[in-house]
Amino acid sequence: MNKPVLLTVDDDPGVSRAVARDLRRRYGEGHRVVRASSGKEALDALKELKLRGEQVAAMLADYRMPEMNGIEFLEQAMDLFPRARRALLTAYADTDAAIQAINLVDVDHYLLKPWDPPEEKLYPVVDALIETWRASGEAAVEEIKIVGHRWSAPTFAARDFLARNAVPYRYYSIDEPEGRRLLDAAAADPTEIPVVITAEGRPLLAPSDAEIAAAVGLTVDPATDFYDLIVVGGGPAGLGSAVYGASEGLRTVLVERQAAGGQAGQSSRIENYLGFPDGVSGTQLTDRARRQAVKFGAEMLTARDVVALEVQGSARVVRFGDGSTISAHAVILATGVSYRSLTAPGCHELTGRGVFYGSANTEAPECAGTDVYIVGGANSAGQAAVFFSRHARSVTLVVRGESLHTSMSHYLIQQLEAIENVHVRTRTTVGQACGDDHLESLRLDHADGTTEFVDTGHLFIFIGARPQTEWLDGVVQRDERGFVWTGPDLLNDGQRPAGWTLDRDPFYLESSVPGVFVAGDVRAQSVKRVASAVGEGAMAVTLVHRYLEEQ
């Protein structure tokens, strides 16, 4: 796979075998020789090599071939591998055509047939082709490739999904020559972006998260249909539950809709988490926790949307969006919260095209030398401001309140005050996002009634906390905002919740359904901090053990 390719094309089987034999004899140790019997077959092979990210060092094509001669083939092959060196195999009678090809089609050499002895007539030419190709600096691309457009929301979503799941990839824009070559090799058109190309060279046209996850090796299907513990949600609370559940002998599966880490996983820097005096990025913390859970035997399902929770006797059943289910003795709900949508006109239409929710760290390089705006006054917004200040010309925090002191940690406020290119606009809201195919400007509304328009291509939103618990309607008790009640908060004048079947009060983190526990931000009255979420995840597992002992 890592060896650069030497491609030969000849419709004469005898000549084809001879040139391949001679090339393998001299170059087989460091190169892979591929031969084709026609120009079309060779182009198909080149498209497959392009999708797999392989290198083509040189192409040798016979001049006289039916349907597509060697010059016509090399012209089309150049569109796929412009740095590969090119030579024509030709008879003496076709020398003039070969010279014309060198002058007009940028063919590097021509070889007369027969080329015996190859040490004098073949190898010196191929040596020169390979040396010239090496000087071009072309390298193989073995990771996942994404072809898309900067202002395509689906393209951003695919890149963000891979980045948050720690899957390395290389991005190509359809506005760049290599992006167009990959698009052509995949037989796709610009309306089908993003095109995700696996390491094996298989193109996926406008794939879903689940299709991407399966293609890149993430686990999407459960190993069995029954577990001791199902953890729904892969944020700090869910990861904490998975680590402690699996390490204590419970057959544990964690189900995550998008990527492990939740909102914390999108934080550019967490500096008040115990044990990390120099701070740690959300991605680093998440990756360590995920690997720790897997080490203890927890199963991690990605890109699975949970749509229902059902009680069937002693089993707790989780239903996925595709209708399939898994069951367990106990469930921990750790679905966290999501950022509230900004309802200002234009924001919905431009989401993923300049308007982003969360840090969207994949956009950092695009922010170089630009003016970035961030909406929100809590820690996540402050952390994003610190992060983007290293890339952008300026970062402006747009805050509805009077100051940051009521919503942001003191250490973070001090950091922001010390960064020259970070500015804070209090008593201000975003009134409108403007732009055609991408964000171009914002209308800022001030509390005194004045407005102004500012030019920007990047708006990052960190407002509010909304639990996505609609799928729990009629199953567990929630407050008016959707957060799940647990433990003592479920008791009404000492009365247990309706439908409660056990001769005891709910445990501290237990919901109104026995055996269904809640940890982290989705729990009503919880402390919205990473450390407390991890602690609740661990504590929930302890309570699961107590619940199982009763059964």
Side-chain angles (χ1 to χ4, degrees), residues 109-127:
H109 291 277
Y110 70 90
L111 288 162
L112 290 175
K113 298 186 289 185
W115 52 81
D116 290 330
E119 289 77 11
E120 295 180 13
K121 297 183 178 180
L122 175 65
Y123 296 153
V125 171
V126 178
D127 285 345

PDB file of all heavy atoms in Angstrom, residues 109-127:
ATOM      1  N   HIS A 109       9.098  11.192 -21.756  1.00  0.00           N
ATOM      2  CA  HIS A 109      10.008  10.382 -22.576  1.00  0.00           C
ATOM      3  C   HIS A 109       9.194   9.507 -23.516  1.00  0.00           C
ATOM      4  O   HIS A 109       7.992   9.331 -23.327  1.00  0.00           O
ATOM      5  CB  HIS A 109      10.880   9.461 -21.704  1.00  0.00           C
ATOM      6  CG  HIS A 109      11.885  10.198 -20.877  1.00  0.00           C
ATOM      7  ND1 HIS A 109      13.104  10.617 -21.353  1.00  0.00           N
ATOM      8  CD2 HIS A 109      11.860  10.576 -19.570  1.00  0.00           C
ATOM      9  CE1 HIS A 109      13.779  11.212 -20.396  1.00  0.00           C
ATOM     10  NE2 HIS A 109      13.032  11.210 -19.301  1.00  0.00           N
ATOM     11  N   TYR A 110       9.885   8.947 -24.513  1.00  0.00           N
ATOM     12  CA  TYR A 110       9.280   7.866 -25.278  1.00  0.00           C
ATOM     13  C   TYR A 110      10.286   6.728 -25.331  1.00  0.00           C
ATOM     14  O   TYR A 110      11.499   6.919 -25.285  1.00  0.00           O
ATOM     15  CB  TYR A 110       8.850   8.320 -26.676  1.00  0.00           C
ATOM     16  CG  TYR A 110       9.975   8.628 -27.633  1.00  0.00           C
ATOM     17  CD1 TYR A 110      10.502   7.627 -28.462  1.00  0.00           C
ATOM     18  CD2 TYR A 110      10.491   9.916 -27.748  1.00  0.00           C
ATOM     19  CE1 TYR A 110      11.530   7.915 -29.347  1.00  0.00           C
ATOM     20  CE2 TYR A 110      11.504  10.214 -28.623  1.00  0.00           C
ATOM     21  CZ  TYR A 110      12.029   9.205 -29.420  1.00  0.00           C
ATOM     22  OH  TYR A 110      13.048   9.474 -30.289  1.00  0.00           O
ATOM     23  N   LEU A 111       9.750   5.501 -25.400  1.00  0.00           N
ATOM     24  CA  LEU A 111      10.559   4.287 -25.433  1.00  0.00           C
ATOM     25  C   LEU A 111      10.242   3.510 -26.707  1.00  0.00           C
ATOM     26  O   LEU A 111       9.059   3.263 -26.997  1.00  0.00           O
ATOM     27  CB  LEU A 111      10.267   3.407 -24.220  1.00  0.00           C
ATOM     28  CG  LEU A 111      10.804   3.902 -22.878  1.00  0.00           C
ATOM     29  CD1 LEU A 111      10.072   3.205 -21.732  1.00  0.00           C
ATOM     30  CD2 LEU A 111      12.289   3.611 -22.792  1.00  0.00           C
ATOM     31  N   LEU A 112      11.264   3.143 -27.450  1.00  0.00           N
ATOM     32  CA  LEU A 112      11.062   2.361 -28.658  1.00  0.00           C
ATOM     33  C   LEU A 112      10.965   0.882 -28.297  1.00  0.00           C
ATOM     34  O   LEU A 112      11.693   0.383 -27.433  1.00  0.00           O
ATOM     35  CB  LEU A 112      12.222   2.584 -29.632  1.00  0.00           C
ATOM     36  CG  LEU A 112      12.294   3.969 -30.295  1.00  0.00           C
ATOM     37  CD1 LEU A 112      13.557   4.073 -31.138  1.00  0.00           C
ATOM     38  CD2 LEU A 112      11.064   4.202 -31.162  1.00  0.00           C
ATOM     39  N   LYS A 113      10.015   0.200 -28.957  1.00  0.00           N
ATOM     40  CA  LYS A 113       9.887  -1.254 -28.779  1.00  0.00           C
ATOM     41  C   LYS A 113      10.608  -1.950 -29.927  1.00  0.00           C
ATOM     42  O   LYS A 113      10.474  -1.514 -31.087  1.00  0.00           O
ATOM     43  CB  LYS A 113       8.407  -1.659 -28.767  1.00  0.00           C
ATOM     44  CG  LYS A 113       7.619  -1.044 -27.629  1.00  0.00           C
ATOM     45  CD  LYS A 113       6.196  -1.573 -27.562  1.00  0.00           C
ATOM     46  CE  LYS A 113       5.326  -1.072 -28.683  1.00  0.00           C
ATOM     47  NZ  LYS A 113       3.902  -1.492 -28.539  1.00  0.00           N
ATOM     48  N   PRO A 114      11.341  -3.014 -29.624  1.00  0.00           N
ATOM     49  CA  PRO A 114      11.634  -3.589 -28.301  1.00  0.00           C
ATOM     50  C   PRO A 114      12.739  -2.798 -27.598  1.00  0.00           C
ATOM     51  O   PRO A 114      13.494  -2.079 -28.244  1.00  0.00           O
ATOM     52  CB  PRO A 114      12.099  -4.999 -28.635  1.00  0.00           C
ATOM     53  CG  PRO A 114      12.742  -4.870 -29.975  1.00  0.00           C
ATOM     54  CD  PRO A 114      11.934  -3.836 -30.719  1.00  0.00           C
ATOM     55  N   TRP A 115      12.831  -2.967 -26.286  1.00  0.00           N
ATOM     56  CA  TRP A 115      13.785  -2.180 -25.506  1.00  0.00           C
ATOM     57  C   TRP A 115      14.963  -3.013 -24.996  1.00  0.00           C
ATOM     58  O   TRP A 115      15.617  -2.641 -24.024  1.00  0.00           O
ATOM     59  CB  TRP A 115      13.072  -1.510 -24.318  1.00  0.00           C
ATOM     60  CG  TRP A 115      12.264  -2.493 -23.493  1.00  0.00           C
ATOM     61  CD1 TRP A 115      12.720  -3.319 -22.542  1.00  0.00           C
ATOM     62  CD2 TRP A 115      10.879  -2.723 -23.622  1.00  0.00           C
ATOM     63  NE1 TRP A 115      11.695  -4.086 -22.040  1.00  0.00           N
ATOM     64  CE2 TRP A 115      10.535  -3.726 -22.686  1.00  0.00           C
ATOM     65  CE3 TRP A 115       9.860  -2.193 -24.437  1.00  0.00           C
ATOM     66  CZ2 TRP A 115       9.248  -4.211 -22.539  1.00  0.00           C
ATOM     67  CZ3 TRP A 115       8.584  -2.678 -24.283  1.00  0.00           C
ATOM     68  CH2 TRP A 115       8.271  -3.663 -23.339  1.00  0.00           C
ATOM     69  N   ASP A 116      15.192  -4.150 -25.623  1.00  0.00           N
ATOM     70  CA  ASP A 116      16.331  -4.981 -25.205  1.00  0.00           C
ATOM     71  C   ASP A 116      17.651  -4.310 -25.605  1.00  0.00           C
ATOM     72  O   ASP A 116      17.767  -3.777 -26.727  1.00  0.00           O
ATOM     73  CB  ASP A 116      16.237  -6.364 -25.846  1.00  0.00           C
ATOM     74  CG  ASP A 116      15.092  -7.189 -25.282  1.00  0.00           C
ATOM     75  OD1 ASP A 116      14.765  -6.976 -24.100  1.00  0.00           O
ATOM     76  OD2 ASP A 116      14.510  -8.008 -26.033  1.00  0.00           O
ATOM     77  N   PRO A 117      18.643  -4.377 -24.738  1.00  0.00           N
ATOM     78  CA  PRO A 117      18.558  -4.865 -23.352  1.00  0.00           C
ATOM     79  C   PRO A 117      17.983  -3.774 -22.450  1.00  0.00           C
ATOM     80  O   PRO A 117      18.276  -2.586 -22.639  1.00  0.00           O
ATOM     81  CB  PRO A 117      20.011  -5.163 -22.982  1.00  0.00           C
ATOM     82  CG  PRO A 117      20.795  -4.191 -23.781  1.00  0.00           C
ATOM     83  CD  PRO A 117      20.038  -4.014 -25.088  1.00  0.00           C
ATOM     84  N   PRO A 118      17.142  -4.141 -21.455  1.00  0.00           N
ATOM     85  CA  PRO A 118      16.500  -3.126 -20.617  1.00  0.00           C
ATOM     86  C   PRO A 118      17.491  -2.291 -19.823  1.00  0.00           C
ATOM     87  O   PRO A 118      17.216  -1.131 -19.509  1.00  0.00           O
ATOM     88  CB  PRO A 118      15.591  -3.957 -19.696  1.00  0.00           C
ATOM     89  CG  PRO A 118      16.154  -5.345 -19.737  1.00  0.00           C
ATOM     90  CD  PRO A 118      16.733  -5.502 -21.104  1.00  0.00           C
ATOM     91  N   GLU A 119      18.660  -2.861 -19.509  1.00  0.00           N
ATOM     92  CA  GLU A 119      19.648  -2.101 -18.736  1.00  0.00           C
ATOM     93  C   GLU A 119      20.112  -0.857 -19.493  1.00  0.00           C
ATOM     94  O   GLU A 119      20.514   0.134 -18.863  1.00  0.00           O
ATOM     95  CB  GLU A 119      20.856  -2.989 -18.418  1.00  0.00           C
ATOM     96  CG  GLU A 119      20.597  -4.077 -17.394  1.00  0.00           C
ATOM     97  CD  GLU A 119      19.828  -5.252 -17.975  1.00  0.00           C
ATOM     98  OE1 GLU A 119      19.679  -5.325 -19.228  1.00  0.00           O
ATOM     99  OE2 GLU A 119      19.362  -6.111 -17.197  1.00  0.00           O
ATOM    100  N   GLU A 120      20.028  -0.899 -20.839  1.00  0.00           N
ATOM    101  CA  GLU A 120      20.479   0.241 -21.636  1.00  0.00           C
ATOM    102  C   GLU A 120      19.323   1.097 -22.137  1.00  0.00           C
ATOM    103  O   GLU A 120      19.454   2.319 -22.233  1.00  0.00           O
ATOM    104  CB  GLU A 120      21.297  -0.255 -22.837  1.00  0.00           C
ATOM    105  CG  GLU A 120      22.598  -0.950 -22.455  1.00  0.00           C
ATOM    106  CD  GLU A 120      23.360  -1.427 -23.676  1.00  0.00           C
ATOM    107  OE1 GLU A 120      23.003  -0.993 -24.796  1.00  0.00           O
ATOM    108  OE2 GLU A 120      24.293  -2.236 -23.527  1.00  0.00           O
ATOM    109  N   LYS A 121      18.179   0.462 -22.456  1.00  0.00           N
ATOM    110  CA  LYS A 121      17.132   1.198 -23.154  1.00  0.00           C
ATOM    111  C   LYS A 121      15.878   1.482 -22.306  1.00  0.00           C
ATOM    112  O   LYS A 121      15.098   2.359 -22.656  1.00  0.00           O
ATOM    113  CB  LYS A 121      16.725   0.434 -24.418  1.00  0.00           C
ATOM    114  CG  LYS A 121      17.856   0.299 -25.420  1.00  0.00           C
ATOM    115  CD  LYS A 121      17.390  -0.393 -26.687  1.00  0.00           C
ATOM    116  CE  LYS A 121      18.503  -0.488 -27.704  1.00  0.00           C
ATOM    117  NZ  LYS A 121      18.069  -1.158 -28.965  1.00  0.00           N
ATOM    118  N   LEU A 122      15.681   0.703 -21.232  1.00  0.00           N
ATOM    119  CA  LEU A 122      14.475   0.896 -20.404  1.00  0.00           C
ATOM    120  C   LEU A 122      14.803   1.536 -19.059  1.00  0.00           C
ATOM    121  O   LEU A 122      14.233   2.580 -18.697  1.00  0.00           O
ATOM    122  CB  LEU A 122      13.764  -0.443 -20.188  1.00  0.00           C
ATOM    123  CG  LEU A 122      12.539  -0.405 -19.242  1.00  0.00           C
ATOM    124  CD1 LEU A 122      11.425   0.436 -19.847  1.00  0.00           C
ATOM    125  CD2 LEU A 122      12.042  -1.829 -18.964  1.00  0.00           C
ATOM    126  N   TYR A 123      15.713   0.931 -18.333  1.00  0.00           N
ATOM    127  CA  TYR A 123      15.953   1.364 -16.955  1.00  0.00           C
ATOM    128  C   TYR A 123      16.459   2.808 -16.840  1.00  0.00           C
ATOM    129  O   TYR A 123      16.027   3.533 -15.933  1.00  0.00           O
ATOM    130  CB  TYR A 123      16.911   0.397 -16.260  1.00  0.00           C
ATOM    131  CG  TYR A 123      16.350  -1.010 -16.113  1.00  0.00           C
ATOM    132  CD1 TYR A 123      17.190  -2.108 -16.051  1.00  0.00           C
ATOM    133  CD2 TYR A 123      14.976  -1.232 -16.051  1.00  0.00           C
ATOM    134  CE1 TYR A 123      16.693  -3.402 -15.925  1.00  0.00           C
ATOM    135  CE2 TYR A 123      14.456  -2.519 -15.930  1.00  0.00           C
ATOM    136  CZ  TYR A 123      15.316  -3.596 -15.872  1.00  0.00           C
ATOM    137  OH  TYR A 123      14.809  -4.864 -15.749  1.00  0.00           O
ATOM    138  N   PRO A 124      17.348   3.277 -17.715  1.00  0.00           N
ATOM    139  CA  PRO A 124      17.766   4.681 -17.582  1.00  0.00           C
ATOM    140  C   PRO A 124      16.606   5.669 -17.708  1.00  0.00           C
ATOM    141  O   PRO A 124      16.541   6.680 -16.996  1.00  0.00           O
ATOM    142  CB  PRO A 124      18.785   4.857 -18.718  1.00  0.00           C
ATOM    143  CG  PRO A 124      19.327   3.488 -18.941  1.00  0.00           C
ATOM    144  CD  PRO A 124      18.147   2.561 -18.742  1.00  0.00           C
ATOM    145  N   VAL A 125      15.663   5.347 -18.606  1.00  0.00           N
ATOM    146  CA  VAL A 125      14.500   6.229 -18.763  1.00  0.00           C
ATOM    147  C   VAL A 125      13.616   6.183 -17.519  1.00  0.00           C
ATOM    148  O   VAL A 125      13.192   7.220 -16.989  1.00  0.00           O
ATOM    149  CB  VAL A 125      13.702   5.823 -20.019  1.00  0.00           C
ATOM    150  CG1 VAL A 125      12.377   6.594 -20.063  1.00  0.00           C
ATOM    151  CG2 VAL A 125      14.514   6.093 -21.266  1.00  0.00           C
ATOM    152  N   VAL A 126      13.325   4.981 -17.014  1.00  0.00           N
ATOM    153  CA  VAL A 126      12.472   4.859 -15.831  1.00  0.00           C
ATOM    154  C   VAL A 126      13.165   5.454 -14.610  1.00  0.00           C
ATOM    155  O   VAL A 126      12.518   6.083 -13.764  1.00  0.00           O
ATOM    156  CB  VAL A 126      12.082   3.383 -15.595  1.00  0.00           C
ATOM    157  CG1 VAL A 126      11.238   3.249 -14.337  1.00  0.00           C
ATOM    158  CG2 VAL A 126      11.315   2.850 -16.805  1.00  0.00           C
ATOM    159  N   ASP A 127      14.481   5.269 -14.500  1.00  0.00           N
ATOM    160  CA  ASP A 127      15.227   5.902 -13.398  1.00  0.00           C
ATOM    161  C   ASP A 127      15.003   7.410 -13.403  1.00  0.00           C
ATOM    162  O   ASP A 127      14.770   8.029 -12.363  1.00  0.00           O
ATOM    163  CB  ASP A 127      16.729   5.615 -13.531  1.00  0.00           C
ATOM    164  CG  ASP A 127      17.084   4.190 -13.134  1.00  0.00           C
ATOM    165  OD1 ASP A 127      16.244   3.526 -12.497  1.00  0.00           O
ATOM    166  OD2 ASP A 127      18.210   3.757 -13.464  1.00  0.00           O
TER     167      ASP A 127
END
